[in-house]
Amino acid sequence: MSKYLIKGASLYGEKVADILIEDGVISRIAENIDAADAQVVEAAGQVALPGLVDIHTHLRQPGYEASETVETGTRAAALGGYTAVFAMANSMPVADTAAVVEQVDRLGKESAWCRVQPIGAVTVGLKGERLSDIGGMANSTANVRVFSDDGMCVYDPAVMRRALEYVKTFDGVIAQHAQEPRLTEGAQMNEGKVSADLGLAGWPAVAEEAIIARDVLLAEHLNSKLHICHLSTKGSIEVVRWAKSRGVKVTAEATPHHLLLTDETARTYDPVFKVNPPLRTEEDVLALRQAVADGIIDVIGTDHAPHPAETKECEWACAANGMTGLEQALSIIQMTLVDTGMITWRDVARILSEQPAKIGRLEAEQGRPLAEGEPANIVLVDPKATRVIKPEEQATKGKNNPYRGMEVPGSIRATFYAGHPTVLNGELATPRR
């Protein structure tokens, strides 16, 4: 059926109305719509938002299918309310050519439960030495506009300059993983009191802040667009704030886990809490929340990073970095920012849908307003529901979830991707084909 009637939803947590979906488009929004031939979706007490867009997802395919696939990762995305995800380039082979990004694009069209937009690597093999085939990827059928070596930093300033210059020619963006490698050699967690207590090599905040400072200056010099991945420190916020005050074309993201968890979790020595960048201090967490509320941090990116059990169920020093989070992201944002009164549901739409789509150049189809004539990418969330996180019940292959056993607010009741329900009544329905 291509006709659905959402009854009694609260649009952006404000006005209550019905939403009629026909042939993939929102055809009507009004009170008490009567459409006898439409499938009814009861949504009283639920908040309707534009489908969520994740600017930072690791789908692992091709090459690391033991960790995740496009299909399993986007199943998790649909359950989290996402209608689009950007797939990071650190696959095997690395997405540094037109052929690889087109493969990811094809996998998305064939098996995904939401829109999959490939991100291209900045440098060949993520090695930071030579620029990848940026032009080829931009002109490919995947139409790549975001480039990132995420997982690795583009540490050479000359290479970074050339990358920023190149993408400027087609309105692209470089998404930087800000980590000065010489300052983080052997680092295991945030540098501070906890790392000293545990005897683990520290990862100083300045290693992130120094790269961000360098890159915003380069972006200003070149008048190019820069995006900062997973910003995690109070000092980084101030650098971005300063850059924005000067009109630099810089955007920044934070992750849900950096808005909630601190380096105190490392005292358990549980590698599920090992992540890059590391979990920081309570002071950093509170500063990040305020920066989201202030608009200094533009978007929330999950940095969903699934791993096989053997790479996490080991000693801390040997464990892989990364956490899953697509299925809980909206709940963590509700917990840390909405329920605390720092932002509204309309702000949630901005940071989890509208701005990510704009940064990734998908704004023509994703992150659109809930309005008549717009694509029917919609998520319905019950904000009063609560649930206990059980990683073994997740759709993602990765069970390395830091929220295990935590009771969180909010439940995704339905996700509509281009008018097709991928999730109904809180359960996976069918993919759109």
Side-chain angles (χ1 to χ4, degrees), residues 377-433:
N377 295 312
I378 303 169
V379 57
L380 300 176
V381 57
D382 180 354
K384 294 184 179 179
T386 60
R387 57 195 172 116
V388 175
I389 304 304
K390 299 177 181 179
E392 60 276 6
E393 296 178 0
Q394 293 181 158
T396 174
K397 283 189 175 185
K399 307 311 176 188
N400 51 305
N401 188 289
Y403 314 118
R404 178 185 291 274
M406 187 181 297
E407 184 176 86
V408 299
S411 173
I412 303 299
R413 303 307 302 159
T415 304
F416 285 86
Y417 168 41
H420 178 84
T422 55
V423 173
L424 277 177
N425 299 316
E427 302 288 340
L428 283 170
T430 57
R432 177 179 176 269
R433 295 286 184 264

Side-chain angles (χ1 to χ4, degrees), residues 211-422:
I211 292 294
I212 295 175
R214 182 201 74 179
D215 287 351
V216 295
L217 290 172
L218 284 172
E220 180 179 43
H221 177 65
L222 300 166
N223 195 31
S224 296
K225 291 178 179 175
L226 170 71
H227 179 70
I228 306 300
C229 297
H230 43 48
L231 183 151
S232 69
T233 78
K234 183 178 180 181
S236 294
I237 294 166
E238 295 311 310
V239 175
V240 172
R241 188 190 306 273
W242 173 83
K244 288 190 170 189
S245 74
R246 294 172 62 88
V248 178
K249 295 176 180 177
V250 58
T251 53
E253 77 185 41
T255 72
H257 49 269
H258 284 109
L259 291 170
L260 178 65
L261 306 173
T262 74
D263 58 355
E264 289 288 338
T265 59
R267 292 189 186 276
T268 65
Y269 285 103
D270 186 343
V272 75
F273 298 112
K274 186 179 180 182
V275 66
N276 180 351
L279 299 175
R280 304 291 188 177
T281 67
E282 181 72 14
E283 183 180 16
D284 292 311
V285 167
L286 295 178
L288 287 173
R289 294 181 188 179
Q290 190 60 54
V292 174
D294 293 344
I296 301 303
I297 293 175
D298 303 83
V299 298
I300 302 300
T302 68
D303 195 8
H304 174 81
H307 290 291
E310 61 269 20
T311 66
K312 278 295 192 178
E313 295 176 1
C314 57
E315 62 181 282
W316 182 284
C318 298
N321 286 304
M323 303 170 168
T324 62
L326 277 169
E327 293 168 67
Q328 296 83 34
L330 187 55
S331 288
I332 302 305
I333 297 309
Q334 180 182 337
M335 176 191 296
T336 58
L337 295 170
V338 179
D339 290 351
T340 58
M342 298 187 75
I343 66 173
T344 66
W345 285 108
R346 189 166 285 276
D347 294 322
V348 171
R350 172 175 54 82
I351 63 176
L352 279 175
S353 182
E354 296 160 7
Q355 283 296 103
K358 182 178 180 182
I359 291 168
R361 310 298 185 267
L362 287 186
E363 67 269 36
E365 61 176 272
Q366 295 286 336
R368 304 297 300 170
L370 297 179
E372 294 177 0
E374 294 288 356
N377 295 312
I378 303 169
V379 57
L380 300 176
V381 57
D382 180 354
K384 294 184 179 179
T386 60
R387 57 195 172 116
V388 175
I389 304 304
K390 299 177 181 179
E392 60 276 6
E393 296 178 0
Q394 293 181 158
T396 174
K397 283 189 175 185
K399 307 311 176 188
N400 51 305
N401 188 289
Y403 314 118
R404 178 185 291 274
M406 187 181 297
E407 184 176 86
V408 299
S411 173
I412 303 299
R413 303 307 302 159
T415 304
F416 285 86
Y417 168 41
H420 178 84
T422 55

Side-chain angles (χ1 to χ4, degrees), residues 151-197:
M152 305 294 289
C153 179
V154 182
Y155 59 87
D156 186 321
V159 173
M160 188 63 177
R161 173 180 177 157
R162 291 197 295 272
L164 287 166
E165 287 177 319
Y166 201 152
V167 299
K168 181 181 174 182
T169 63
F170 53 82
D171 192 36
V173 61
I174 298 296
Q176 175 68 295
H177 172 116
Q179 177 191 349
E180 168 52 60
R182 291 299 302 278
L183 293 177
T184 55
E185 291 178 359
Q188 295 294 314
M189 63 169 296
N190 179 59
E191 181 178 279
K193 182 180 185 302
V194 179
S195 66
D197 289 348

Side-chain angles (χ1 to χ4, degrees), residues 25-261:
V25 174
I26 298 173
S27 62
R28 190 180 176 201
I29 297 178
E31 295 182 6
N32 302 317
I33 296 175
D34 185 17
D37 55 341
Q39 180 173 331
V40 174
V41 178
E42 296 292 349
Q46 298 172 25
V47 175
L49 300 171
L52 308 185
V53 178
D54 189 18
I55 197 73
H56 193 144
T57 303
H58 296 275
L59 293 179
R60 303 303 192 199
Q61 194 176 11
Y64 298 113
E65 287 83 358
S67 298
E68 192 77 284
T69 65
V70 168
E71 181 177 7
T72 60
T74 56
R75 280 174 177 254
L79 285 166
Y82 288 89
T83 55
V85 297
F86 285 76
M88 279 296 178
N90 56 344
S91 54
M92 182 57 68
V94 171
D96 56 8
T97 66
V100 180
V101 295
E102 287 180 348
Q103 179 183 2
V104 175
D105 183 56
R106 185 173 63 255
L107 286 167
K109 290 180 169 65
E110 292 173 352
S111 60
W113 289 62
C114 67
R115 174 78 152 84
V116 174
Q117 176 59 40
I119 288 178
V122 179
T123 66
V124 175
L126 309 179
K127 295 180 179 179
E129 299 168 353
R130 294 183 294 118
L131 289 185
S132 65
D133 183 16
I134 290 175
M137 290 186 280
N139 292 319
S140 72
T141 57
N143 194 35
V144 178
R145 288 296 179 270
V146 182
F147 297 84
S148 179
D149 277 3
D150 184 60
M152 305 294 289
C153 179
V154 182
Y155 59 87
D156 186 321
V159 173
M160 188 63 177
R161 173 180 177 157
R162 291 197 295 272
L164 287 166
E165 287 177 319
Y166 201 152
V167 299
K168 181 181 174 182
T169 63
F170 53 82
D171 192 36
V173 61
I174 298 296
Q176 175 68 295
H177 172 116
Q179 177 191 349
E180 168 52 60
R182 291 299 302 278
L183 293 177
T184 55
E185 291 178 359
Q188 295 294 314
M189 63 169 296
N190 179 59
E191 181 178 279
K193 182 180 185 302
V194 179
S195 66
D197 289 348
L198 299 180
L200 291 174
W203 189 309
V206 70
E208 175 176 300
E209 296 155 6
I211 292 294
I212 295 175
R214 182 201 74 179
D215 287 351
V216 295
L217 290 172
L218 284 172
E220 180 179 43
H221 177 65
L222 300 166
N223 195 31
S224 296
K225 291 178 179 175
L226 170 71
H227 179 70
I228 306 300
C229 297
H230 43 48
L231 183 151
S232 69
T233 78
K234 183 178 180 181
S236 294
I237 294 166
E238 295 311 310
V239 175
V240 172
R241 188 190 306 273
W242 173 83
K244 288 190 170 189
S245 74
R246 294 172 62 88
V248 178
K249 295 176 180 177
V250 58
T251 53
E253 77 185 41
T255 72
H257 49 269
H258 284 109
L259 291 170
L260 178 65
L261 306 173

